[in-house]
Amino acid sequence: MLRYTLDILMIITGRTRTIGIFGYPVEHTLSPAMHNTAFEHLGLDYCYLPFLVRPDALQHAVEAIRALSLVGVNITVPHKEAVIPFLDEVSSEAAFIGAVNTLVNKDGRLTGYNTDGRGFMLSLAARGIEVSGRKILVVGAGGAARAVSYYLSEKAERLAIYNRGREKLRQLVDDLSKVRANVSAVEELCGIEQFDIIVNATSLGLDPDDPLPFDPASLTGKHVVCDLIYRKTPLLANAEKQGCIAVDGLGMLLYQGVLAFELWTSATAPVEVMKKALLARLNL
Ligand code: NDP
């Protein structure tokens, strides 16, 4: 019997079932803390490990999920799109988004899911933010923007999307327009105060020297500004100064994990415990 000391004392036995995360790099991931704390809290005999998977080794790594009888894995940058051809099945939302962040291994059959978009919606609900009937602007058209736009457009009165790169913007709006009637592209980031909820789904803000993805100066207390980056970005600090409700991406990270946990274990995820583990890792 081997003992690993995390924040918790985890006992690994011959019966322990393994879940992991494939990424490159992977060392900054917060998911092991969140999931291992949850397993410990519920007394579930699982452990969650990071796996550094080089892009040229992704197919072998996916085959290893079957070979090693892993319960499943999370998939993170840069493998979310590249993993799809190696799977047996993808859920409808992952197929639309074109990216998978969660794999489930059921008797050797691998199914890919994307829990990011629903995770974002749950994070808004947890803050009491209503999406139905609202006018929403998403800035960005990458994988995260596709995930949140898919779910936001299901409820919003109108969803507008802006992106620097026009080809990706057009592709996202064309794809969404096949299943929704309330989606349009915007050419310029002006008049943003006409929207109720504005979401930064670009990577601008990851580097403190980045410019703001848009200027929140015209926004007021009736606006909600969301950033998918999971800390208080300069955008969110500015939005708060304008009196807006500011929502960072920590809730999305938490709830995508909650949904993945429930896919793997069929247990109800201990949300507050997982949130505390994330906050502790971030020293918040
Ligand atoms: P992608 O690489 O797929 O997309 C990046 C997006 O950012 C594109 O729309 C890109 O525009 C835009 N962008 C990048 N640099 C600039 C720039 N200098 N000026 C304007 N636009 C720019 O990344 P993801 O969609 O996967 O991730 C986007 C953000 O969401 C990241 O910050 C990531 O950390 C966060 N995220 C958070 C999650 C959570 O759980 N909280 C989950 C997943 C992602 P263009 O097409 O023009 O290049």
Side-chain angles (χ1 to χ4, degrees):
M1 194 181 293
L2 195 56
R3 281 163 185 248
Y4 290 99
T5 306
L6 303 171
D7 291 344
I8 47 171
L9 182 65
M10 179 168 260
I11 299 174
I12 307 289
T13 73
R15 285 183 300 277
T16 303
R17 306 188 68 203
T18 306
I19 298 173
I21 179 164
F22 291 178
Y24 188 79
V26 79
E27 57 262 35
H28 301 299
T29 177
L30 301 172
S31 294
M34 175 166 65
H35 288 292
N36 285 320
T37 307
F39 298 145
E40 173 74 5
H41 178 79
L42 293 183
L44 296 177
D45 195 1
Y46 289 81
C47 74
Y48 184 107
L49 300 171
F51 294 103
L52 183 68
V53 175
R54 300 177 65 90
D56 61 1
L58 180 61
Q59 185 168 5
H60 291 311
V62 172
E63 282 159 10
I65 296 171
R66 296 189 188 92
L68 301 173
S69 302
L70 303 188
V71 175
V73 292
N74 276 138
I75 302 288
T76 188
V77 177
H79 304 313
K80 285 183 174 185
E81 290 100 26
V83 77
I84 290 179
F86 307 133
L87 306 181
D88 298 305
E89 204 180 336
V90 289
S91 66
S92 55
E93 88 285 352
F96 172 83
I97 296 160
V100 156
N101 78 332
T102 303
L103 289 193
V104 177
N105 176 16
K106 189 100 172 61
D107 303 323
R109 188 170 173 79
L110 302 182
T111 304
Y113 298 88
N114 189 310
T115 65
D116 285 335
R118 268 210 301 140
F120 177 69
M121 299 301 282
L122 288 174
S123 77
L124 293 184
R127 290 282 304 268
I129 294 166
E130 184 56 70
V131 170
S132 296
R134 313 291 293 275
K135 297 184 188 68
I136 302 178
L137 173 65
V138 169
V139 180
R146 290 183 71 89
V148 301
S149 296
Y150 181 76
Y151 286 97
L152 285 170
S153 58
E154 200 174 40
K155 296 255 173 83
E157 178 190 311
R158 173 156 101 81
L159 179 75
I161 308 173
Y162 170 85
N163 192 50
R164 176 185 63 172
R166 295 309 154 102
E167 188 45 44
K168 235 194 260 177
L169 171 64
R170 197 164 29 251
Q171 190 63 57
L172 174 53
V173 171
D174 285 354
D175 288 348
L176 267 174
S177 299
K178 288 177 192 144
V179 286
R180 316 266 194 252
N182 58 350
V183 178
S184 61
V186 293
E187 298 297 325
E188 297 295 332
L189 274 180
C190 54
I192 61 169
E193 62 283 351
Q194 69 185 285
F195 297 96
D196 304 305
I197 302 175
I198 302 110
V199 182
N200 174 38
T202 75
S203 39
L204 285 174
L206 280 175
D207 183 331
D209 295 331
D210 283 342
L212 295 181
F214 55 85
D215 182 0
S218 60
L219 302 181
T220 65
K222 69 184 176 70
H223 293 103
V224 177
V225 175
C226 307
D227 201 321
L228 304 191
I229 295 170
Y230 47 76
R231 58 182 162 71
K232 192 192 269 191
T233 55
L235 171 68
L236 293 183
N238 273 277
E240 268 181 358
K241 268 192 221 141
Q242 297 296 123
C244 305
I245 297 168
V247 181
D248 66 35
L250 194 66
M252 177 175 174
L253 178 70
L254 169 66
Y255 283 100
Q256 64 73 32
V258 162
L259 294 166
F261 183 99
E262 294 183 350
L263 283 169
W264 294 319
T265 65
S266 302
T268 301
V271 179
E272 282 310 310
V273 167
M274 293 168 80
K275 183 176 173 182
K276 275 191 197 141
L278 282 180
L279 293 174
R281 271 293 182 270
L282 290 166
N283 291 319
L284 294 175

